[in-house]
Structures are given as C-alpha cells and as structure tokens.
Amino acid sequence: MTPGRRLSVGVLAGVWLLAAAPRLAHPHGPGASRPAVPGRQALSSSPNLGVIRPAPDFTLVDFKGRSVRLSEFQGRVVLLAFIYTSCPGACPLLTQRMALLQARLREARLLPSRVGLLSVTVDPERDSAETLARYAKGFGADSEGWRFLRESQERLRPVLTAYDEWTKPIPGGEIDHPARLYLIDPRGRIREIYSLSLFDERQAYLDIQALLRESR
Amino acid sequence: MMICGCLFAGLLTAGAALAEPCLSPYVKRLAGPEKYLYVSAVDADAKDNDFLAVIDVNPASATYGRALTTVDLGSAGNEPHHMGFTDDRTKIWMGTLLSRRLFIIDVAADPATPKIVKTIDDITALTGLHGPHTYYALPGRMLLTFLSSADGNPPGGMAEFTNDGQLIRVFKNPAGAPYAYDAAVKPQINRLITSSFTPLRNYSKPLSQWDMKDGGNTLLVWDFKERKLLQTLVTDPVPLEVRWSLKPGKAYGWTNSALGDSLWFFSRGKNGRFSTRKAADLGKGCLPADLRQSPDDRYLYVSCFMKSEIQVWDVSKPDRPRLHDIVVPGVSPNMMHVSGDGKRMYITNSLLSTMDYAQNFWVRLTHIGPDGRLKMDPFFNVDFTKFPTGPARAHDMLLN
C-alpha cells in the first residue's frame, strides 16, 4: 500500500471511529466534576496538575524544513504527541481529537500565541516530510499552531528516550510504542500525561486553561 | 498490546480483548496468551534473600509449570508483597511491607529473565510513608498506596512517581479515615476509590496479637483529576480490594470486607453521590483476602483464606450476587490472578508472614469454564518449598 493510500485510509478510519465513539458532553462552567452518564466522560475544570518533571528539550524539524526547539515555546502551553501516520487506528483518532482541540483553541484565540500543539512521528523512515505534510493537511492543522515534526532515526532516538518512548516494529508494518501525550506548562514542565486510549480533548482544553490561569 | 490497531478496538470495546481484569486500565494489554508468571516470594524464615520467581506458563513449553529462574532481591526480611506494571508494561514495581525497599524490575528486555534496574532503599524517607501496597499505573507514572506513616502508625496515604522512580507528590489519608490499602481509578467517571486495612504497628505482629479494632472500615471516594476527597463510605471492617465494574462508564463496583466476611457493593446514585450496601455474606470464618473479576464482568472470585476455598459469585445482578461455585485449591488460598481471556486463574497461598498458617507454599492453576465454574488443574502445582534457599511464601502475581 502506498503512503498516500495508507494515509487516506487512516484518516477515514479516524473520522469514522470518532463518529462511532460515544457522543461526548460539552464542558460546563467552573465547578466540580460532572456526574457521567453512559457514553459521556466526566470532566474537571479544577484539575490538580502536579509537576511531574522538566520536559526534556529537543530540536526537531517540521515538514517545511524549519527547526523547532521545544524551549522556544517557553511562555506557552504545549501539548506533545508521539504518532506515526501509517498507524491504522488510534493515531488518526488521536490526531482527530487534537484537531477538535485545535478548533477550541482557535475559537478562544489561544493558538498559536499561548498554546502550541506538536505531533512527533516515531517512524521518520516512512514518514517523510511530504507524508507528514499530507497528514497534517488532512486534519486541517494550523501551520503555525500545530507543527508536525520529524528527524533522522539517529537524531530522533535520544528525544524518544528522554520521553520514555520506545518503538518496536511488529509484523505487518505497525509499530508498538507507548501511547502517551505530554502537557507542558509555560515554564517547560510536564504537568499531565494522557493515555492515548483515554484522551479526551475537552479535558485537555480544561487542563490547558488551568495552566494558563496559573501563569497569569 | 498497545499497538494502535488494538487500541482502536479497545476504544470501542473498552478493554474486552485480552485485558487482564483488575490491572489498571492504563496498562498495556498482552498481545496473546501469557507465557510467564511472575511471583513475589518471601523467604519463609526470613533468613535468606527474598526474590521474584519466574514461572513458565506456556503450555507448549517443555518447562511448563516450572520455575525458570529467580531474581534475587539482594536482602532478607523485606516481605515483598504486591507488584504492578508500569503503563507500558516494561517494568514491574515491587515493594515490601517490613523493610523500606522498593524494587523496579525490567521485564521488557527479556521477559524470561527480569532484571532489577533500580532499588529505592528508603521509600519512607522519600515519602514520609511506610508499607507501599498497591502499584497502580497511570500514564507515564505510578500511583502507590501506603499502609502507614513513617512511624508505622496511621495515617497511610498515596504517592505518585515517574515510571523511573522520581517522587512527584504525596497525599496523606485524612484524620477521620486514616487507614489505607488499595486504590482503583474509573477514568470515564473521574473517580478514584481507596480502601482501608491496618498499619505496620499491627500487621508486623503475629496474628494472635493483632488489635482487631486497629483497622479501617471505610472506602474513600476521590475526584481523580482534582485528587480531592469527596466522600467517606462505611463498610464492614477492613474492606480490601477495590474492583470497579469493567463495563465502560458504569459507576459501581465491589469490595471484600476481610473481617466482616462479606462482599460489599458500592454505586453512585442519581444525585452523583456514592453509597455502599452489604451485597453478600461469605460465611463465617472466610476471611476474604482477595477479590477478582471475570473479564465479562459476570463473576467475582473470592479467596477465603481461613476457610481454604475459592467462591465464585455471579454478579449478573451487580448488587445481588449469587453464589455460583466453590473450589478447594489447597490450604489458605490467597492471591488470585485471572488471565486476559478469562479462562485461567493462578492462585498462591501466602498472605503475610505474620498471618500464614499453611505449612507448604505453592502456585496452582484453576481453569474457568464457559459456565463460570472452576476446575483445578491436577498437574499444575509449583512447589515453593524446594528453592535452593528453602521454602518461600508465594504471594502476588503478574502475567507476561
């Protein structure tokens, strides 16, 4: 299967899955978590986001060839995801959820001035700059607010290690890897880690707001 | 396995595929049937070093049902107890109840030959708490419960660490409910429930000297994202395991009261508040030490440590369990571990060195039929009395 074909199948799968996933409630105003009803997740607008550890700095390259250094985002909240574009299901679903988050952040005029989204491929050999560009375009990524990053395997490896990410090829071309997203505060500290399988962009939005309130 | 494809399925079926019941929902799933069983082992007379035993549980292997190796913990008298995987299933955290050591063990490089990659020599100095009990994976982190404060008295509490053992933060139990034990999160409803046992000052003594009033009878309901205590619920004395329903979004579950010989049901009402009710009488003298679930959420397994039997309860009606089956695996069954497909349950028979009354220790296997009934495997019996260091007490288990 060609990369382009894989991409379109993946995007379609993500969109389909999102449509098939339980409908999610919209967050309400400030206050305690809402009781969940079947198919909805409870949210918290006052999350207790402890300092987990400093976010290791890195320099990677976006699909336009521009260097992107994490420490340049100091003063902004960053959501960092590790993906690969030929991932058949969860990565497109996650990316679709990040697209929904992007829409919320744009609406609130927080992107890119106060929040940055970063998606790093763990599969740079197959995810060329062109492939990443198509993938980003497929999800309507804002070219300034949501950067898709890659590097050579050699230069990427220490970045993955620093984030406790590892990759393991498995038969069929898929890649086993820890499915996590990192929320980084304006001072460059990891404040929340999400599981890809339980990532809820509405809660991530509330977490981002909480970190922005802190930095006022 | 947390490959994208399996997650894809997992999102819709919420852990139905080969998910081992009772693990944190954040732990990566096994890609297929288990091959190795890890067992925490306490040297029986506390003179030789404690260890982690690796048992071959691959039926196709020539060494099926035998101990393949042991991982020497390097010291004696620790009372290694419970264990937990990190979210990516590359490491096991194993703590101790009588020393202050905690071990982080790599099981990814070679699952048949785990290696200690870090020993925290004084977890108490680090946290102000003693006796880590439950090791609950969060994304990129571990949430631990502790049975006591540093001095061995209540309150216990919780602490969070990075996967490589850096402390993030500590939460002590409130003064009104100071006893701690287990913890379990239901992410979809943003709730954490913790339970209550007894502190070091009590459990370090022989059972005959225990103060049976020095223990908890509470479940604490927390807002998980806020790490904020919301409610204190009351049960019979010493509610141990916290088992949420495995069905996505369901806001109910069960716990076993060790000293009440009872099974308790907790659930959230329409007003958003949780309540408890006694759901089943397990029979006088049971001392239910462990509580496990079938992956389809239909059955609960209760080990009666003092009555030497395992009871199967049908929870098709969650608040009205019905006794479905009983097996007798041997003297003093304690910890149980159900495979991801729900067809096998491994059993050990040591609870605590201060509580054990069996003469011999073992790991045994029961097969779980499609009708939910248990059948002991007469050929699977790992004898824990014949290690080079002598007998060892087999306690908690994990599969890989």
Side-chain angles (χ1 to χ4, degrees):
Chain A
M1 188 182 283
T2 63
R5 171 83 177 138
R6 274 200 303 267
L7 175 63
S8 58
V9 170
V11 172
L12 280 173
V15 171
W16 172 81
L17 217 175
L18 200 62
R23 286 287 166 203
L24 302 172
H26 288 285
H28 301 281
S33 302
R34 311 287 164 189
V37 296
R40 297 185 178 192
Q41 296 193 21
L43 301 176
S44 168
S45 56
S46 306
N48 184 345
L49 303 171
V51 175
I52 296 171
R53 62 182 171 115
D57 198 12
F58 58 75
T59 302
L60 298 169
V61 180
D62 74 7
F63 57 73
K64 292 182 178 175
R66 300 175 296 186
S67 279
V68 176
R69 188 171 180 182
L70 179 66
S71 53
E72 290 168 2
F73 287 79
Q74 289 247 345
R76 285 187 269 174
V77 173
V78 171
L79 183 66
L80 170 65
F82 292 91
I83 58 151
Y84 67 104
T85 65
S86 55
C87 168
C91 300
L93 172 67
L94 168 70
T95 309
Q96 184 61 24
R97 291 213 183 282
M98 285 183 70
L100 295 175
L101 177 62
Q102 175 184 253
R104 283 173 185 267
L105 293 168
R106 267 180 173 160
E107 191 181 331
R109 299 181 186 279
L110 295 173
L111 198 82
S113 60
R114 304 202 64 198
V115 180
L117 305 180
L118 301 177
S119 293
V120 177
T121 178
V122 298
D123 185 17
E125 286 174 8
R126 289 186 293 183
D127 286 343
S128 65
E130 295 73 27
T131 304
L132 271 187
R134 277 199 303 275
Y135 193 74
K137 187 180 177 188
F139 287 98
D142 182 304
S143 63
E144 296 305 315
W146 186 2
R147 316 282 286 275
F148 284 72
L149 310 178
R150 66 182 301 281
E151 245 308 351
S152 65
Q153 200 64 269
E154 189 182 21
R155 290 183 178 175
L156 178 66
R157 195 170 299 121
V159 177
L160 297 183
T161 302
Y163 281 87
D164 199 18
E165 283 277 324
W166 45 264
T167 58
K168 188 173 160 188
I170 53 176
E174 292 180 40
I175 296 175
D176 187 10
H177 69 105
R180 307 186 191 112
L181 299 91
Y182 297 82
L183 186 65
I184 301 167
D185 73 11
R187 294 169 63 186
R189 304 174 302 183
I190 297 172
R191 300 292 297 277
E192 180 62 293
I193 307 174
Y194 304 101
S195 158
L196 188 152
S197 61
L198 291 162
F199 179 69
D200 183 333
E201 80 285 351
R202 302 164 312 137
Q203 184 60 57
Y205 181 74
L206 294 172
D207 292 347
I208 289 168
Q209 286 187 316
L211 294 182
L212 290 174
R213 280 198 301 273
E214 271 182 19
S215 62
R216 274 180 199 154
Chain B
M1 181 180 285
M2 196 177 280
I3 57 172
C4 291
C6 287
L7 268 177
F8 180 60
L11 277 157
L12 294 178
T13 58
L18 290 175
E20 296 141 88
C22 308
L23 291 187
S24 159
Y26 298 108
V27 173
K28 175 187 171 186
R29 309 308 183 201
L30 269 179
E34 67 275 10
K35 293 181 178 172
Y36 305 102
L37 176 75
Y38 304 125
V39 185
S40 59
V42 180
D43 184 68
D45 60 10
K47 290 178 180 168
D48 291 293
N49 290 353
D50 302 310
F51 58 89
L52 175 79
V54 182
I55 312 298
D56 184 339
V57 290
N58 177 4
S61 167
T63 50
Y64 175 67
R66 292 189 220 159
L68 293 173
T69 189
T70 59
V71 180
D72 188 334
L73 299 185
S75 53
N78 295 291
E79 190 89 25
H81 198 66
H82 281 203
M83 305 183 284
F85 280 116
T86 53
D87 61 339
D88 61 358
R89 216 180 178 112
T90 59
K91 296 183 189 73
I92 285 175
W93 281 48
M94 179 166 68
T96 62
L97 292 187
L98 295 181
S99 77
R100 297 177 165 202
R101 296 185 186 92
L102 187 144
F103 305 93
I104 302 177
I105 302 168
D106 180 272
V107 292
D110 180 359
T113 315
K115 291 214 169 14
I116 297 174
V117 290
K118 182 169 186 168
T119 301
I120 299 176
D121 287 319
D122 196 339
I123 192 78
T124 300
L126 199 58
T127 60
L129 296 166
H130 189 282
H133 183 271
T134 293
Y135 303 82
Y136 202 82
L138 303 179
R141 289 152 289 166
M142 293 295 283
L143 171 69
L144 274 57
T145 59
F146 288 78
L147 301 181
S148 316
S149 285
D151 59 4
N153 299 321
M158 294 183 281
E160 294 173 34
F161 297 82
T162 59
N163 277 353
D164 59 359
Q166 301 299 313
L167 179 66
I168 299 171
R169 54 185 170 176
V170 172
F171 300 92
K172 285 212 169 188
N173 270 51
Y179 298 99
Y181 184 75
D182 196 19
V185 178
K186 186 79 174 179
Q188 297 90 346
I189 62 167
N190 184 31
R191 288 293 179 270
L192 161 71
I193 288 185
T194 57
S195 59
S196 48
F197 181 44
T198 192
L200 177 69
R201 69 183 179 196
N202 210 26
Y203 72 70
S204 58
K205 297 185 290 191
L207 183 60
S208 59
Q209 297 172 27
W210 282 30
D211 177 355
M212 292 302 174
K213 292 180 180 168
D214 189 12
N217 65 340
T218 54
L219 296 178
L220 303 183
V221 183
W222 304 73
D223 182 306
F224 176 56
K225 279 293 287 189
E226 299 182 16
R227 304 294 198 272
K228 179 178 156 191
L229 179 60
L230 299 175
Q231 276 186 268
T232 300
L233 310 174
V234 174
T235 65
D236 277 350
V238 191
L240 295 179
E241 268 51 60
V242 179
R243 305 300 184 206
W244 286 102
S245 163
L246 298 171
K247 291 174 183 162
K250 293 293 183 189
Y252 60 76
W254 305 269
T255 188
N256 48 314
S257 162
L259 295 186
D261 291 328
S262 51
L263 187 63
W264 283 69
F265 179 71
F266 57 83
S267 63
R268 190 176 59 190
K270 288 178 180 171
N271 62 357
R273 305 278 291 173
F274 277 79
S275 61
T276 52
R277 65 183 291 263
K278 187 172 178 173
D281 189 334
L282 303 174
K284 192 171 170 56
C286 164
L287 204 157
D290 195 12
L291 176 67
R292 298 279 157 166
Q293 294 164 278
S294 64
D296 61 1
D297 224 28
R298 170 126 189 226
Y299 300 107
L300 294 177
Y301 309 108
V302 179
S303 62
C304 288
F305 178 72
M306 285 297 182
K307 214 172 167 185
S308 293
E309 66 185 27
I310 290 176
Q311 302 176 351
V312 183
W313 289 82
D314 184 335
V315 285
S316 302
K317 294 176 181 173
D319 60 340
R320 277 169 284 171
R322 188 175 54 80
L323 186 61
H324 182 70
D325 196 17
I326 294 177
V327 293
V328 179
V331 176
S332 71
N334 177 30
M335 297 303 289
M336 302 171 284
H337 202 88
V338 179
S339 60
D341 60 10
K343 294 179 180 175
R344 295 167 300 287
M345 181 164 68
Y346 300 89
I347 308 160
T348 60
N349 73 326
S350 167
L351 204 169
L352 263 173
S353 58
T354 56
M355 297 181 76
D356 287 339
Y357 64 93
Q359 300 300 310
N360 298 308
F361 301 100
W362 40 255
V363 179
R364 291 181 182 164
L365 170 65
T366 186
H367 297 278
I368 305 172
D371 60 356
R373 298 191 183 277
L374 306 183
K375 187 173 182 184
M376 291 302 299
D377 187 323
F379 303 108
F380 191 101
N381 180 30
V382 187
D383 186 349
F384 264 58
T385 65
K386 290 180 178 157
F387 286 97
T389 51
R393 305 168 191 273
H395 187 69
D396 199 13
M397 295 166 283
L398 289 173
L399 293 169
N400 210 6

